[in-house]
Amino acid sequence: MRETGEARRAIAFVDGQNLFHAVRRAFGYSLPNFGILRLARAVCASRGWDLKEVRFYVGVRQAGDEPFWCAFWSGKLGAMGREGVRVFTRALKYRRATIRLPDGGTHSFVTREEKGIDVRIAIDVIRMAHRREYEVAVLFSQDEDFSEIAREIRAIAAEQGRWIKIASAYPEGRTKSHGINFTDWIPIDRTTYDACIDQRAYPPKEGEGPTRGRRPRLPRNPRP
């Protein structure tokens, strides 16, 4: 169905870990420094869409696993919630994996698994389309698993006889990148991203906000 000039209700669905790693590759930032509400507003405003809601999904470490990141996400997600962002979290799971080396030996390592985040995003995008809660779904992700959602959204649009768009927004640095297949691609340039950076410190400094005590030291190679 053809798009008209009318304002379109948009909902942003943000894959937090995917967005952070994409930002790090594109712009080199070592922390998730996005101000996601401002960034979603900027993306939607550039297309003339009426942003109604931002939904942020992320896997987080449990208490006792790397205190810095526990405190960081606790502070950042709390600030998002106070701004009106809907936050959904899942615990990061760890498992030991072993691979066989070419020389016949083996190498064991610990890997992280973010169980349930992709499934939750997919369910929400499809459920809210069925309920006619938006005309535009903006996925802040480059995960190709979501390409199947785009096909489903097109089927829903045909069934309901209405216009629905699904787009993927992603940071683009010097190396060309791309969005999710079967979606509209919205590259985010460095200027737009930098204008939306969250300048607040997480966790807050001593005496600021709900967390008191000494601020944990940032790891040399931070991996949230």
Side-chain angles (χ1 to χ4, degrees):
M1 302 181 68
R2 295 182 60 185
E3 184 174 1
T4 70
E6 298 175 2
R8 300 294 186 176
R9 297 173 301 162
I11 295 182
F13 301 86
V14 185
D15 182 344
Q17 291 286 352
N18 189 283
L19 176 60
F20 164 64
H21 291 298
V23 167
R24 185 169 60 180
R25 289 191 301 269
F27 307 140
Y29 291 118
S30 60
L31 287 173
N33 62 353
F34 40 74
I36 197 58
L37 182 59
R38 291 196 296 274
L39 188 60
R41 284 173 173 167
V43 166
C44 289
S46 71
R47 297 298 191 275
W49 300 332
D50 182 14
L51 180 65
K52 292 299 185 182
E53 185 176 48
V54 178
R55 302 168 74 88
F56 188 87
Y57 306 77
V58 68
V60 295
R61 300 178 187 275
Q62 298 301 287
D65 292 333
E66 298 193 35
F68 174 85
W69 286 114
C70 291
F72 178 92
W73 280 115
S74 177
K76 189 171 182 71
L77 296 178
M80 286 184 189
R82 290 189 290 275
E83 291 176 339
V85 175
R86 296 285 304 277
V87 174
F88 304 88
T89 63
R90 292 288 188 273
L92 285 172
K93 303 293 184 181
Y94 298 83
R95 67 179 180 86
R96 182 169 293 278
T98 301
I99 59 173
R100 186 167 296 280
L101 303 175
D103 62 4
T106 60
H107 173 68
S108 297
F109 58 96
V110 175
T111 183
R112 298 178 305 159
E113 294 181 343
E114 193 180 31
K115 293 291 189 182
I117 291 294
D118 290 358
V119 173
R120 179 60 191 263
I121 294 173
I123 289 173
D124 286 355
V125 172
I126 293 170
R127 174 178 55 83
M128 297 176 80
H130 274 297
R131 295 181 177 179
R132 301 173 182 263
E133 295 184 32
Y134 64 79
E135 283 77 49
V136 183
V138 186
L139 289 169
F140 282 78
S141 178
Q142 291 173 285
D143 189 338
E144 282 299 336
D145 288 345
F146 292 139
S147 63
E148 293 302 316
I149 299 178
R151 296 177 184 271
E152 183 64 23
I153 292 301
R154 285 184 173 83
I156 294 171
E159 291 170 3
Q160 295 183 346
R162 68 188 187 97
W163 183 91
I164 312 178
K165 182 186 291 292
I166 182 165
S168 53
Y170 55 93
E172 184 172 75
R174 294 181 179 179
T175 302
K176 289 294 182 180
S177 189
H178 63 83
I180 299 165
N181 286 335
F182 310 116
T183 70
D184 284 20
W185 296 356
I186 306 177
I188 301 169
D189 60 33
R190 181 68 177 264
T191 300
T192 299
Y193 184 86
D194 284 355
C196 300
I197 285 178
D198 181 1
Q199 301 289 353
R200 291 168 293 192
Y202 304 106
K205 297 179 181 179
E206 184 174 357
E208 296 179 353
T211 303
R212 305 214 175 249
R214 187 176 179 181
R215 188 183 184 198
R217 183 177 296 174
L218 176 65
R220 288 185 178 180
N221 297 304
R223 295 188 63 190

